[in-house]
């Protein structure tokens, strides 16, 4: 029988949807969901769940053996905004979990790893338009530093020990199945909730803050495509640039007003503005396109249509 899949951080924004998608594809019992605590949000496709603190290597090893795990998706992390409020906690969580998974793979307990990086690996000295795969990377957030360091360790474990680890530099992700979290890009989720619930939104980024974004379905499809690609097609073992769309708060507000004409937006930039200002405006993902056939499908108009239609029943 094919070895099972373990998702660490299965209750998070990406983990929740990744769990359902993988269960639909491989069968509910083939996908073990885990997180630090059982979440009230049950994935659309229910299945086995384990409470796991992934900073505890022995506990992780016990789960790998108990469930005969082959592939691990390590989705647990502290994101950019929360990470700036708790720097050492963010570093410890983001790095200790990665080292546990890499070392258990090196010791033969895991066949293949997916680990999410982010456009947060780029910093204020990086070219901001069509940011290339290989360029200056001087991240100025703890989250970005942890992701840049993690990329280097992933590439090292592949080169030195043959660990099959694969990674994507996700842009800001937009989805409706989990509430907005501690991300700087999460204004692009919260705005849909507030538009439906209150008819107005006070944006914590300034009107002209263009950022790379992606609808969750595209991110999940890219993740699975990369994990299923033949190893010789995965030519980059740090992390692949991945692009969907780029927009600023004015553009997303305008796309909402096409459906909710009375929606209004105000602007009250906070500490997250400095984080956003250090990131690219748009991403060149030609390596992902050329190596394993990546192509985004969701644009801003399609995203707004899906988000409003899916959230309407909540308000
Ligand atoms: C964050 N959503 O805002 C994440 C993402 C590119 C940003 O990594 O921290």
């Amino acid at each position: 029988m094919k070895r099972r899949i373990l998702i660490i951080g299965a209750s998070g924004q990406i983990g929740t949807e990744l769990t359902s998608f993988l269960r639909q594809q491989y069968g509910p019992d083939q996908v073990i969901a885990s997180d630090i605590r059982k979440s009230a949000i049950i994935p659309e496709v229910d299945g086995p769940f384990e409470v796991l603190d992934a900073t505890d290597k022995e506990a992780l090893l016990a789960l790998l053996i108990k469930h005969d795990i082959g592939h691990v998706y390590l989705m647990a992390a502290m994101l950019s905004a929360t990470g700036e409020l708790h720097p050492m906690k963010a570093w410890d969580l983001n790095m200790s979990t990665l080292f546990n998974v890499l070392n258990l793979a090196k010791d033969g307990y895991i066949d293949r790893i997916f680990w999410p990086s982010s456009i947060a690996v780029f910093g204020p000295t990086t070219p901001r338009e069509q940011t290339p795969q290989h360029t200056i990377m001087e991240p100025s957030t703890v989250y970005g530093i942890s992701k840049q360091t993690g990329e280097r360790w992933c590439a090292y474990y592949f080169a030195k020990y043959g660990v099959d680890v694969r990674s994507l530099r996700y842009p800001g992700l937009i989805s409706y199945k989990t509430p907005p979290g501690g991300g700087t890009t999460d204004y692009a989720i919260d705005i849909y909730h507030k538009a439906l619930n209150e008819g107005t939104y006070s944006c914590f980024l300034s009107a002209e803050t263009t950022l790379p974004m992606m609808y969750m379905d595209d991110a999940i499809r890219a993740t699975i495509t990369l994990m299923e690609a033949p190893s010789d097609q995965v030519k980059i073992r740090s992390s692949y640039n991945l692009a969907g769309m780029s927009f600023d708060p004015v553009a997303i507000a305008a796309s909402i007003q096409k459906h909710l004409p009375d929606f209004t937006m105000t602007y009250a930039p906070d500490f997250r503005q400095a984080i956003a200002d250090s990131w690219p405006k748009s991403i060149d993902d030609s390596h992902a396109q050329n190596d394993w056939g990546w192509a985004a499908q969701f644009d801003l108009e399609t995203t707004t249509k899906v988000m409003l239609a899916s959230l309407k029943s909540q308000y």
Side-chain angles (χ1 to χ4, degrees):
M1 177 184 66
K2 191 170 172 53
R3 300 185 72 189
R4 291 191 179 92
I5 295 168
L6 173 66
I7 298 178
I8 300 171
S11 302
Q13 181 195 18
I14 308 171
T16 299
E17 304 215 33
L18 196 55
T19 300
S20 296
F21 192 95
L22 287 167
R23 283 176 172 163
Q24 281 163 353
Q25 188 149 331
Y26 296 106
D29 292 339
Q30 281 300 104
V31 182
I32 312 300
S34 72
D35 212 308
I36 192 78
R37 65 183 67 80
K38 183 100 171 139
S39 163
I41 300 170
I42 306 292
E44 276 173 8
V45 181
D46 210 351
F49 178 89
E50 293 274 12
V51 173
L52 169 69
D53 174 353
T55 63
D56 178 345
K57 188 178 175 184
E58 291 315 309
L60 174 53
L61 176 55
L63 273 194
L64 294 174
I65 295 167
K66 174 181 174 183
H67 291 286
D68 186 27
I69 299 296
H71 289 190
V72 170
Y73 291 75
L74 172 53
M75 309 311 287
M78 191 179 290
L79 298 181
S80 59
T82 313
E84 289 308 293
L85 303 177
H86 309 283
M88 284 301 103
K89 209 170 157 195
W91 177 260
D92 290 346
L93 172 65
N94 295 1
M95 299 316 296
S96 62
T97 52
L98 177 58
F99 277 121
N100 286 345
V101 170
L102 287 174
N103 284 320
L104 286 167
K106 169 172 163 278
D107 295 343
Y109 293 102
I110 299 170
D111 302 330
R112 190 171 296 183
I113 301 165
F114 178 80
W115 177 75
S117 184
S118 160
I119 59 142
V121 296
F122 301 116
T125 55
T126 305
R128 298 188 72 194
E129 299 283 357
Q130 286 301 301
T131 300
Q133 176 71 42
H134 304 294
T135 184
I136 301 165
M137 297 165 73
E138 295 177 325
S140 52
T141 64
V142 173
Y143 175 69
I145 294 165
S146 75
K147 289 301 182 181
Q148 181 189 30
T149 311
E151 289 187 6
R152 299 321 320 148
W153 280 112
C154 289
Y156 180 87
Y157 270 69
F158 173 74
K160 188 100 174 173
Y161 308 118
V163 169
D164 188 356
V165 52
R166 304 168 184 212
S167 179
L168 295 171
R169 290 171 180 161
Y170 287 131
L173 299 183
I174 301 172
S175 60
Y176 62 87
K177 294 176 187 167
T178 54
T184 301
T185 58
D186 288 349
Y187 89 89
I189 300 171
D190 203 17
I191 190 171
Y192 292 106
H193 291 265
K194 294 292 192 316
L196 288 164
N197 192 20
E198 300 170 18
T200 186
Y201 180 59
S202 173
C203 185
F204 57 71
L205 298 181
S206 64
E208 61 283 343
T209 307
T210 300
L211 287 170
M213 297 280 189
M214 178 173 282
Y215 185 62
M216 182 60 77
D217 287 15
D218 268 346
I220 298 295
R221 186 166 49 83
T223 305
I224 308 289
T225 305
L226 177 62
M227 278 294 271
E228 294 181 344
S231 196
D232 62 353
Q233 285 182 12
V234 185
K235 299 181 171 63
I236 291 175
R237 292 289 179 157
S238 49
S239 189
Y240 275 94
N241 276 9
L242 189 72
M245 50 188 148
S246 287
F247 56 77
D248 61 20
V250 170
I252 190 171
S255 78
I256 292 171
Q257 283 158 346
K258 287 178 185 168
H259 303 267
L260 303 170
D262 299 334
F263 171 65
T264 58
M265 180 101 118
T266 56
Y267 297 91
D270 66 14
F271 75 97
R272 289 166 283 193
Q273 185 64 49
I275 296 173
D277 289 342
S278 73
W279 289 347
K281 292 174 183 282
S282 59
I283 297 290
D284 169 3
D285 63 357
S286 51
H287 284 266
Q289 294 174 35
N290 299 332
D291 291 359
W292 40 274
W294 167 245
Q297 291 174 0
F298 283 79
D299 62 12
L300 177 54
E301 296 317 317
T302 319
T303 299
T304 294
K305 208 175 285 178
V306 171
M307 287 293 285
L308 292 177
S310 307
L311 287 171
K312 205 159 31 185
S313 58
Q314 284 186 28
Y315 299 105

